[in-house]
Amino acid sequence: QQPVQSPQAVILREGEDAVINCSSSKALYSVHWYRQKHGEAPVFLMILLKGGEQKGHEKISASFNEKKQQSSLYLTASQLSYSGTYFCGTNNNNDMRFGAGTRLTVKP
Amino acid sequence: DAGVIQSPRHEVTEMGQEVTLRCKPISGHDYLFWYRQTMMRGLELLIYFNNNVPIDDSGMPEDRFSAKMPNASFSTLKIQPSEPRDSAVYFCASRGTAGSYGYTFGSGTRLTVV
């Protein structure tokens, strides 16, 4: 079953912050985050394996609330290069299911 | 490492023709996944292999689709006969054994069936 992402799209100015949410109706054991630029393949950003785990990747970080079956991706001080579509993926048994994606546009 | 290699990058074919998509995973990765991406349905898991064995093919849309992995370095996804609704970008991805690894995607094959 696919996780649900919100918002569907967000437009930012350089330097602004954004939060992308991912939730599942099933228990989550791990959450992946990927970014896909137009015409390219999805690129792995990070994985969260335990409830409450937070990870960071430059100015992009994520949290995982196992109880609420939710994960959030935080983009701080956004840069033009952050533009793209962000996907969360959840898998319980190696069969990764992706959300519909959040299109992030960062403008100068 | 060259990453996950897919071929061809683009394929245009006529309805009814057979189409074969190819994938070479990263050496040492023992999981291989085939995904299809469309605007309407997003990224859909079609099938995945572990150590060359198909584990779950429940995402394969119809009998017209088949996938094989004859060895650790090669996999194919075949559509026979192809239909216009099969037009999509098909991605292959691979992953190592440890659960902490992310997926590495190939560049994808953009299939257009006319």
Side-chain angles (χ1 to χ4, degrees):
Chain A
Q1 199 162 4
Q2 268 186 313
V4 176
Q5 284 185 238
S6 64
Q8 287 185 306
V10 60
I11 299 174
L12 301 173
R13 293 285 179 191
E14 262 187 304
E16 291 182 339
D17 301 341
V19 180
I20 299 171
N21 299 303
C22 175
S23 64
S24 174
S25 58
K26 297 174 77 172
L28 295 178
Y29 299 99
S30 68
V31 178
H32 291 221
W33 286 96
Y34 293 78
R35 177 171 62 207
Q36 184 179 30
K37 293 189 179 279
H38 183 69
E40 299 180 8
V43 174
F44 174 68
L45 294 177
M46 64 188 79
I47 181 173
L48 299 105
L49 291 172
K50 299 181 219 177
E53 183 174 11
Q54 296 196 27
K55 277 198 162 182
H57 178 77
E58 295 179 347
K59 291 179 183 174
I60 301 174
S61 61
S63 64
F64 180 18
N65 188 321
E66 194 178 350
K67 250 185 180 177
K68 291 186 178 179
Q69 296 169 190
Q70 291 175 347
S71 177
S72 294
L73 186 72
Y74 307 94
L75 300 103
T76 58
S78 58
Q79 306 167 14
L80 295 175
S81 62
Y82 287 2
S83 292
T85 301
Y86 289 79
F87 294 94
C88 69
T90 58
N91 63 330
N92 294 329
N93 196 25
N94 294 307
D95 55 343
M96 179 84 69
R97 309 288 170 171
F98 287 95
T102 296
R103 178 173 290 187
L104 180 78
T105 304
V106 181
K107 295 189 172 181
Chain B
D1 198 329
V4 177
I5 300 172
Q6 288 187 248
S7 64
R9 288 296 306 273
H10 303 274
E11 176 82 40
V12 180
T13 191
E14 291 185 347
M15 183 173 64
Q17 295 298 306
E18 177 180 297
V19 176
T20 300
L21 312 181
R22 296 171 176 81
C23 175
K24 176 179 166 53
I26 289 175
S27 177
H29 280 191
D30 45 15
Y31 283 90
L32 183 139
F33 307 84
W34 282 100
Y35 283 88
R36 177 172 69 176
Q37 186 175 38
T38 61
M39 288 294 292
M40 291 297 295
R41 302 174 70 91
L43 272 164
E44 299 175 274
L45 177 65
L46 300 178
I47 185 171
Y48 79 93
F49 296 82
N50 178 215
N51 291 321
N52 314 337
V53 177
I55 303 300
D56 185 351
D57 65 354
S58 59
M60 296 285 260
E62 299 170 32
D63 291 345
R64 298 183 296 106
F65 286 69
S66 63
K68 292 182 180 178
M69 192 165 186
N71 57 61
S73 58
F74 184 65
S75 177
T76 59
L77 179 67
K78 188 177 291 187
I79 308 173
Q80 165 65 16
S82 58
E83 296 183 4
R85 59 193 167 122
D86 301 332
S87 297
V89 180
Y90 290 80
F91 287 106
C92 172
S94 70
R95 199 205 82 185
T97 301
S100 59
Y101 293 164
Y103 290 24
T104 302
F105 283 78
S107 300
T109 295
R110 181 174 294 276
L111 174 66
T112 304
V113 184
V114 298

